[in-house]
Amino acid sequence: MDGTLHTTEASGTLPLRSRALIPPLTLLRPRDVDEAAAMLAAPDALPMAGGVEVIAGLKFGGPPRTVVLLRGLVGLDRIEAGAEGVRIGALATHERVVRDPLLRAAVPGLAEAWGHVANIRIRHQGTLAGCLLAGLPQYDAPPALAALDARLVCRVGHETIMLPWHAPRGLVLGIDIPGGWRFAHERSLRPWLIVSAAGRFERGRVRSLRLALGGAHRRAVAADLDEAVGLDARSPRAPRTRPRRGLGVVSSRARSPASRHARRGLATPRRRRPRRPPDRPPRRCLKERNGSPSTSTGVASSPRCRPTGCSSTCCARSSASSACGRAATAGCAAPAPCSIDGAPATACLLLAVEADGRRVTTIRGLDRADGSLHPVQRAFLEERALQCGSCTPAMVLLASALLAEDPAPNEETIRSWMSAALCRCGGGAAILRAVRRAATLIREGA
């Protein structure tokens, strides 16, 4: 498939109750960076790395596009030292940003703050560059990169150029972040307000300070707080006086005529679900998987997946749960549970072609050859950590992926991972006990 053109009809590949089918689209799979840059020169070309926003936009009635799949391009998923700081590759996922030791040392606070962005499924799939290029004001990347004074490395034609963080062109290769910043990020008022701050300090005194606001604007608003230079950061009065004055500086810039015009002219339109055609039957318990109707517990008869079909339709054949088809990225009870190459994933936000050559595991993949239960399954039964069962496959797969990576997780880590699926029955306490019990069974060799 490398470097070739693929056009396919995607109708009938999503669950019927989603009310929104992915329209016909063109998939392009470049072999290298130069080929990707040439493909993105087309007026309707859309780059896709993690695919979280691209797939969600297509499901919610976005126009047919030419999608350029960037996953797999060599070198774009690295985080490496740059000339003046650190460079984050365009395909580096949020989870890699959280765990990378070089980034932790170069920009203290960024990795810690990014561990609270989205959930573990989205962090393993989505990318920092994609979060910026999505252009949604409620996302965390714009104010964070504005405060850090980041620059974009872009390939336009055969030329590599540096651009401001808010003006991408062509193919984005990476994000350059200057070193020496200490970073802080406040998102408790998201999506209405996100505050990012970056400062440089010398002997306890502030050398430079930048503050950025996001969430309420089409583009994050940033300001250099010159009045903070020379402030003694160890002073007990500093946290109470200067940040409030800094917020006033940024807020006054946000109230400028140019900013008001940007908010009015570039506001993100609200996504509306397409109306149901008159000839479509009303909602039933039947779903369509690859064009073949089946009950929610049945098996689709079609043996193949279409390239632009959603992976949730393929995973549904080997899973006891199926997705809602609405791409609820914030979290849901049954987030199309599967893991790809051992990492938790959301199948309803993946095209089937993206799983080509990768190891996909559903809840049936935990079955043992002798018929015995996996330790995580045993623990869920012993602790009675299931009620209606809607979220159980997702919870079990999340727990097994967590314990495969960390056999003895602490309480905070368990809560962070398990929050990627929601138990609507209120069984969170039992689920946490089950994960702790599963860790014990695995250590004992059960």
Side-chain angles (χ1 to χ4, degrees), residues 104 107-114 182-185:
R104 284 179 172 268
V107 189
L110 177 60
E112 291 80 359
W114 228 246
R182 296 186 65 87
F183 180 76
H185 191 66

Side-chain angles (χ1 to χ4, degrees), residues 1-219:
M1 297 180 64
D2 292 343
T4 58
L5 177 67
H6 303 276
T7 305
T8 182
E9 295 290 332
S11 58
T13 60
L14 297 182
L16 180 62
R17 67 179 182 178
S18 70
R19 305 284 189 178
L21 302 177
I22 293 180
L25 56 94
T26 302
L27 292 176
L28 298 177
R29 204 174 194 182
R31 290 169 292 192
D32 52 39
V33 169
D34 291 333
E35 196 171 47
M39 292 175 177
L40 288 173
D44 66 337
L46 185 68
M48 187 173 85
V52 174
E53 278 303 318
V54 174
I55 301 301
L58 291 172
K59 284 188 175 185
F60 277 90
R65 301 292 295 268
T66 297
V67 178
V68 181
L69 298 176
L70 302 180
R71 187 188 299 273
L73 290 181
V74 178
L76 292 189
D77 60 345
R78 299 172 184 167
I79 298 178
E80 53 192 3
E84 299 180 357
V86 63
R87 175 170 296 180
I88 303 175
L91 298 184
T93 62
H94 299 296
E95 191 64 17
R96 180 163 293 190
V97 170
V98 172
R99 301 186 183 192
D100 189 79
L102 175 63
L103 189 61
R104 284 179 172 268
V107 189
L110 177 60
E112 291 80 359
W114 228 246
H116 300 284
V117 171
N119 57 56
I120 192 65
R121 295 181 289 109
I122 301 302
R123 289 201 299 270
H124 270 286
Q125 183 175 343
T127 64
L128 177 61
C131 184
L132 173 67
L133 296 178
L136 296 180
Q138 67 269 28
Y139 278 5
D140 296 81
L145 297 179
L148 292 168
D149 197 20
R151 305 276 290 178
L152 299 181
V153 185
C154 302
R155 176 69 64 88
V156 181
H158 296 285
E159 184 182 1
T160 301
I161 59 177
M162 301 290 293
L163 295 171
W165 65 269
H166 54 79
R169 286 177 55 196
L171 172 64
V172 176
L173 301 179
I175 303 172
D176 275 8
I177 298 178
W181 291 108
R182 296 186 65 87
F183 180 76
H185 191 66
E186 174 57 49
R187 63 194 306 269
S188 60
L189 294 178
R190 182 181 178 272
W192 297 279
L193 180 64
I194 304 172
V195 182
S196 295
R200 287 191 172 99
F201 301 87
E202 183 178 357
R203 297 180 181 179
R205 291 188 175 273
V206 180
R207 288 180 51 197
S208 59
L209 184 64
R210 284 179 59 85
L211 199 66
L213 297 182
H217 316 287
R218 178 60 173 82
R219 199 179 83 181

Side-chain angles (χ1 to χ4, degrees), residues 403-437:
L403 297 177
E405 180 179 305
D406 184 0
N410 56 33
E411 187 74 13
E412 182 181 358
T413 302
I414 294 175
R415 289 178 178 273
S416 174
W417 276 66
M418 304 311 292
S419 65
L422 304 180
C423 176
R424 295 177 180 177
C425 301
I431 290 171
L432 295 178
R433 291 197 304 269
V435 177
R436 292 192 291 267
R437 174 61 177 161

